[in-house]
Amino acid sequence: MATAEFKGLNRITGPFIFMDPVPGVGYGELVEVTGADGSTRRGRVVLVSQKAITVQVFEGTQDLVPSSTSVRFLKRPLEMPLSRQVLGRTFNGIGEPIDGCGPVYGGKRVSVNGLPLNPVARRYPRNFIHTGISAIDTLTTLIRGQKLPIFSGNGLPHNRLAVQIATQSRIVGDESFAVCFAGIGIKHDDAAFFMRELSQRGRNANMVTFLNLADDPVIERIATPRMALTTAEYLAFELGMHVLVIITDMTNYCEALRELGVAAGEVPSRKGYPSYLYSDLASLYERAGVLKDRPGSVTQLPILTMPNDDITHPIPDLTGFITEGQIVLSRELNSKGIYPPIDVLTSLSRLMKDGIGKGYTREDHPNLASQLFASYSRVQDVRALASVVGEEELSPADKQSLAFGTAFEESFLRQGQEEDRDISESLDIGWEILKLLPRSELTRVTLTEINQRMK
């Protein structure tokens, strides 16, 4: 189809250019914007009306002059070239290779404007994904096809945790596993950390990396998660792979939405975010799942930093409505030097119950997880009591609970940054620390399990 080129703009505002209506132009269409010096930038149509067309320019509108700027409509949406050769490659936020290995050949070009999976076409998620991290595998189990966000805060080691999950995750007994790793608005030192760690740990062959830097144009942050998800959908539903998508940091994505909304003159909603923030996040998160009629699966592990550690902030609040649980990082545990500082009592995996136990992990997993939750929850009550009356005034049972709490944090939660624990090892550690409690308090596990596991 022939492309159309038009010269002259009505005005330029921030990253947006405005021009008169053009017949046949569609929403999301890719454009080329050429300045007076002949340099070309890419953009995307974001508004089509009878009065005007609005285009977001990816590289920004600096040095553009309305009268001498020309716009060419390419009659196609923003696309990503995809083939099996994307595995092991690194791209920028808009899908351009930055690893020095040239363009992606073969395969096909796919629009990044994907759609959420039809609920009717979904198959219920089952089968746990091994992360090698005891607190996740045992107590907030990640299920294949699930969307399970990590709620973090500034200064917490979510980037380190993201790398560890990316390099250790797998589906036991299935080799067709891949990871799509997307960094949104990340600093240069974080990007260098990701590149160094991901390459040194030897999982690059089954990983596709997208890096959008903090000094890249804001509009690119809108495209980055869509690039990663489109790649994941291709690998999953075209090539039959099981793909884990790790996105960090979704807060930067939402901040970009807010910034662009303000520039476009949209009426803001809670804390200045656009009123469509919920539906926009849902359009990304709901691209995870398992289809009935196709092989493969897409699992999402988005990471977001909660502003001021406020879990009621619009970003974690809306994310929690859409996703199937959350993993929450604790500043208190981090201050104790415990890594990963996962607060298991505020974390939750809603699909965990259907992907663990006999035939999935181990038969004693469900009861053991319930007992660990209950026992560690009591630890918090005892610690609160001890802060008032002192430890020496506690009953023997309460002192045993304190000992259990310390062992739980030091032996079960704490592990090395490269320590990859098998699920059986994690469960065995759980049983070992339960020995610190009197058997009368082990009300969530069966007597048979106690006799088998606590000899």
Side-chain angles (χ1 to χ4, degrees):
M1 185 180 295
T3 58
E5 185 170 352
F6 300 86
K7 189 170 184 178
L9 309 174
N10 291 341
R11 71 179 193 276
I12 299 174
T13 303
F16 298 94
I17 60 176
F18 299 84
M19 55 189 302
D20 291 332
V22 176
V25 172
Y27 174 81
E29 186 172 327
L30 200 61
V31 303
E32 284 185 355
V33 180
T34 305
D37 60 355
S39 61
T40 300
R41 317 175 194 198
R42 289 200 293 175
R44 184 172 67 105
V45 176
V46 295
L47 181 64
V48 179
S49 69
Q50 295 179 346
K51 296 181 179 180
I53 289 178
T54 306
V55 175
Q56 283 180 344
V57 183
F58 291 136
E59 292 87 352
T61 57
Q62 294 83 1
D63 303 324
L64 292 182
V65 178
S67 60
S68 58
T69 299
S70 61
V71 178
R72 187 160 64 100
F73 296 92
L74 302 182
K75 301 297 181 183
R76 57 183 173 84
L78 183 61
E79 296 175 331
M80 176 80 186
L82 291 172
S83 71
R84 188 176 287 274
Q85 279 64 47
V86 297
L87 291 170
R89 300 294 305 273
T90 302
F91 304 88
N92 65 10
I94 54 175
E96 299 171 337
I98 56 173
D99 53 7
C101 297
V104 176
Y105 294 105
K108 61 181 182 179
R109 299 187 67 87
V110 180
S111 169
V112 302
N113 300 318
L115 297 173
L117 298 185
N118 188 333
V120 178
R122 294 173 184 262
R123 191 166 71 246
Y124 193 84
R126 296 190 186 276
N127 303 104
F128 99 109
I129 294 179
H130 165 96
T131 67
I133 297 171
S134 295
I136 297 177
D137 289 351
T138 307
L139 301 177
T140 53
T141 311
L142 178 63
I143 303 299
R144 180 170 61 88
Q146 186 178 11
K147 39 195 182 290
L148 185 66
I150 295 177
F151 291 178
S152 183
N154 290 323
L156 294 180
H158 48 270
N159 286 340
R160 192 186 313 163
L161 181 60
V163 168
Q164 187 170 5
I165 294 174
T167 53
Q168 293 180 177
S169 57
R170 64 182 184 272
I171 294 179
V172 179
D174 196 324
E175 298 299 323
S176 58
F177 187 82
V179 174
C180 286
F181 189 96
I184 305 175
I186 58 176
K187 297 181 292 185
H188 283 264
D189 56 344
D190 288 333
F193 168 75
F194 289 141
M195 295 295 293
R196 181 180 68 253
E197 292 295 315
L198 294 176
S199 62
Q200 287 180 354
R201 298 196 188 186
R203 279 288 298 272
N204 273 15
N206 290 323
M207 188 176 300
V208 188
T209 306
F210 296 85
L211 297 178
N212 165 252
L213 302 178
D215 56 357
D216 287 336
V218 172
I219 181 62
E220 289 190 14
R221 296 178 199 169
I222 307 301
T224 303
R226 291 174 169 81
M227 290 285 175
L229 289 169
T230 300
T231 303
E233 289 167 347
Y234 174 81
L235 294 174
F237 305 132
E238 298 283 339
L239 303 185
M241 304 184 75
H242 300 295
V243 187
L244 174 62
V245 183
I246 300 175
I247 305 175
T248 180
D249 177 349
M250 286 302 295
T251 298
N252 291 336
Y253 171 84
C254 295
E255 295 288 351
L257 274 183
R258 179 167 66 175
E259 185 174 338
L260 294 173
V262 170
E266 297 172 350
V267 178
S269 183
R270 291 171 59 192
K271 294 189 180 293
Y273 292 96
S275 58
Y276 52 82
L277 179 62
Y278 178 88
S279 58
D280 191 280
L281 288 174
S283 71
L284 297 177
Y285 295 146
E286 294 296 346
R287 292 173 71 171
V290 187
L291 294 179
K292 294 178 181 177
D293 59 348
R294 295 196 187 183
S297 63
V298 175
T299 307
Q300 280 193 47
L301 198 71
I303 299 171
L304 59 90
T305 52
M306 299 178 290
N308 300 317
D309 293 350
D310 181 10
I311 202 169
T312 65
H313 186 277
I315 301 173
D317 186 31
L318 297 178
T319 295
F321 275 114
I322 302 167
T323 55
E324 294 120 5
Q326 70 276 332
I327 297 170
V328 182
L329 301 191
S330 165
R331 199 169 294 279
E332 181 183 354
L333 290 174
N334 188 61
S335 67
K336 293 181 180 180
I338 294 174
Y339 172 86
I342 296 175
D343 186 352
V344 297
L345 297 181
T346 57
S347 301
L348 169 70
S349 174
R350 294 190 181 96
L351 301 184
M352 169 179 169
K353 65 184 186 303
D354 298 309
I356 64 173
K358 187 175 182 180
Y360 295 103
T361 53
R362 207 168 76 182
E363 192 170 3
D364 57 320
H365 187 172
N367 289 344
L368 174 63
S370 179
Q371 183 64 62
L372 290 174
F373 270 121
S375 299
Y376 189 59
S377 178
R378 185 174 186 277
V379 169
Q380 309 311 308
D381 296 333
V382 175
R383 284 175 174 173
L385 177 63
S387 67
V388 176
V389 303
E391 287 190 25
E392 64 277 0
E393 299 297 326
L394 296 177
S395 67
D398 288 343
K399 291 180 179 179
Q400 286 178 298
S401 285
L402 286 184
F404 167 82
T406 300
F408 181 85
E409 293 172 355
E410 294 295 332
S411 301
F412 186 83
L413 291 185
R414 184 195 294 273
Q415 60 185 94
Q417 298 177 25
E418 298 185 15
E419 185 179 357
D420 186 357
R421 291 180 183 169
D422 183 79
I423 182 63
S424 294
E425 181 183 356
S426 295
L427 294 174
D428 290 342
I429 294 174
W431 281 111
E432 191 66 26
I433 60 177
L434 284 179
K435 292 179 180 179
L436 297 173
L437 297 174
R439 293 200 174 189
S440 59
E441 290 193 15
L442 305 183
T443 58
R444 304 294 183 94
V445 292
T446 66
L447 184 59
T448 301
E449 290 171 337
I450 292 175
N451 293 331
Q452 287 179 343
R453 303 292 177 182
M454 298 181 66
K455 295 178 182 179

